[in-house]
Amino acid sequence: MSEPSVDLVKQYLMGLQNRICTAIEAEETEGSFREDQWDYHGGGGGKARVLEGGKIFEKAGVNFSHVKGDQLPASATAHRPQMAGRSFQAMGVSLVIHPDNPFVPTSHANVRMLIAHKEGEDPIWWFGGGYDLTPYYGFEEDCKHWHQTAKKACEPFGDEVYPRYKKWCDDYFFLKHRNEPRGVGGLFYDDLNEWPFERCFEFMQSVGNSYIDAYLPIVQRRKEISYSEQNKRFQEYRRGRYVEFNLVYDRGTLFGLQSGGRTESILMSLPPHVRWDYNWNPEQGTEEARLYEEFLKPKDWV
């Protein structure tokens, strides 16, 4: 197996953060990212970039992190007992975009690598990541485009890759306590080390590089649609599901909090305005009901 290169991965991730922020800022007309650099207690740190209060994007966070430590947190070793007792380096780019217009979906993307060392033994490494889409009002055209782009990113790596990681995404971004998906899925993969290092790294790059191609055309199609206060209330209600998933299930959030990461960066994924209405259900025949009936169900979009 080829030797892993932390420096190559870090260089790519920092460039990816720059390219995504540049693309988001080019779409936004009334805001820009501010950057905070932070240090991690075990070594390393990161750059958090957040845009708030824009005309197109109510909140957008794009975070790069490269942290080091003497021991992995419980969230990383629960399913990987061979990692216990090893020092580690974890790096990645994680982002969440919350648009202002309820007809533009929220999107999330993450690409990351972890490598763990123990004296006298070979390092253990793996890649993870993916992206998923959370619409508030469903458009079949958008879902097909999102998944077609994801499939295209996977195609050079085998015909079985997209179906496998599409299903993993459907299974992962599922709120068990609500018995419903968070959105319409996309790609999710974790513990990827079945190929040589270079091949796994190439896959990470293919996923990361395809995100803007998957998301911005949807933003551009929907950002000028007029909306009502009712549409906005429904968006904020559905954002509650997003918060619930991130705080209860999300592996990246749990890893960051358990490893003593920077809380502001970890929780930048949360939307600025959200609501929980007691025992609310959409009226039959409405676009809100259609979201549940036609879109919040795992299906083959391509």
Side-chain angles (χ1 to χ4, degrees), residues 169-199:
C169 189
D170 289 339
D171 293 342
Y172 178 69
F173 290 106
F174 187 84
L175 288 87
K176 300 178 183 66
H177 63 284
R178 298 283 190 181
N179 194 34
E180 66 184 44
R182 186 168 83 173
V184 297
L187 299 173
F188 182 84
Y189 65 98
D190 209 357
D191 304 312
L192 177 62
N193 61 6
E194 62 192 62
W195 303 318
F197 174 82
E198 288 87 353
R199 188 69 167 163

Side-chain angles (χ1 to χ4, degrees), residues 1-274:
M1 183 177 291
S2 54
E3 289 296 318
S5 173
V6 170
D7 290 339
L8 280 177
V9 176
K10 182 176 182 179
Q11 183 179 3
Y12 166 73
L13 290 170
M14 294 179 72
L16 179 66
Q17 183 191 36
N18 290 337
R19 293 193 299 275
I20 290 174
C21 288
T22 297
I24 294 296
E25 281 189 335
E27 197 66 34
E28 178 56 68
T29 58
E30 294 184 4
S32 60
F33 285 95
R34 73 174 189 266
E35 178 179 288
D36 293 322
Q37 297 198 35
W38 52 274
D39 297 322
Y40 183 68
H41 61 84
K47 294 180 181 180
R49 293 179 182 167
V50 177
L51 184 158
E52 292 181 295
K55 180 180 179 182
I56 309 300
F57 303 108
E58 192 169 346
K59 184 179 182 184
V62 185
N63 189 44
F64 163 78
S65 62
H66 176 205
V67 300
K68 307 173 184 179
D70 295 329
Q71 186 170 336
L72 284 158
S75 62
T77 59
H79 303 291
R80 312 175 190 92
Q82 72 275 20
M83 306 280 266
R86 288 175 174 256
S87 62
F88 73 94
Q89 295 186 58
M91 65 189 71
V93 166
S94 181
L95 65 96
V96 177
I97 312 295
H98 292 290
D100 181 69
N101 192 313
F103 292 97
V104 183
T106 285
S107 71
H108 157 261
N110 173 263
V111 285
R112 60 188 182 274
M113 175 197 172
L114 186 143
I115 185 167
H117 296 274
K118 190 173 185 178
E119 188 173 351
E121 298 185 18
D122 291 336
I124 298 174
W125 56 267
W126 53 264
F127 289 86
Y131 46 67
D132 68 292
L133 193 70
T134 306
Y136 306 100
Y137 291 90
F139 295 92
E140 187 171 333
E141 178 187 10
D142 296 349
C143 297
K144 287 182 175 179
H145 167 77
W146 180 259
H147 280 273
Q148 284 169 347
T149 307
K151 183 180 180 185
K152 184 179 179 181
C154 294
E155 282 175 347
F157 302 88
D159 293 340
E160 79 288 349
V161 174
Y162 168 75
R164 176 185 175 189
Y165 293 157
K166 189 266 185 190
K167 184 181 185 304
W168 198 343
C169 189
D170 289 339
D171 293 342
Y172 178 69
F173 290 106
F174 187 84
L175 288 87
K176 300 178 183 66
H177 63 284
R178 298 283 190 181
N179 194 34
E180 66 184 44
R182 186 168 83 173
V184 297
L187 299 173
F188 182 84
Y189 65 98
D190 209 357
D191 304 312
L192 177 62
N193 61 6
E194 62 192 62
W195 303 318
F197 174 82
E198 288 87 353
R199 188 69 167 163
C200 293
F201 183 29
E202 287 173 2
F203 183 70
M204 169 204 259
Q205 293 174 81
S206 186
V207 172
N209 294 345
S210 68
Y211 168 75
I212 286 296
D213 293 337
Y215 187 51
L216 276 193
I218 299 173
V219 175
Q220 291 160 355
R221 278 198 293 266
R222 309 301 169 196
K223 65 182 182 180
E224 300 295 344
I225 298 177
S226 60
Y227 61 87
S228 66
E229 181 61 29
Q230 178 183 335
N231 298 142
K232 193 68 178 173
R233 285 174 64 91
F234 183 62
Q235 177 199 50
E236 293 176 354
Y237 172 76
R238 288 298 308 170
R239 281 176 174 177
R241 302 293 202 266
Y242 208 92
V243 173
E244 289 174 21
F245 182 89
N246 276 30
L247 295 182
V248 177
Y249 301 112
D250 187 74
R251 293 184 186 181
T253 302
L254 297 176
F255 178 91
L257 295 175
Q258 292 179 5
S259 62
R262 182 176 185 253
T263 302
E264 285 298 309
S265 297
I266 297 164
L267 298 184
M268 74 178 186
S269 62
L270 301 183
H273 301 286
V274 63

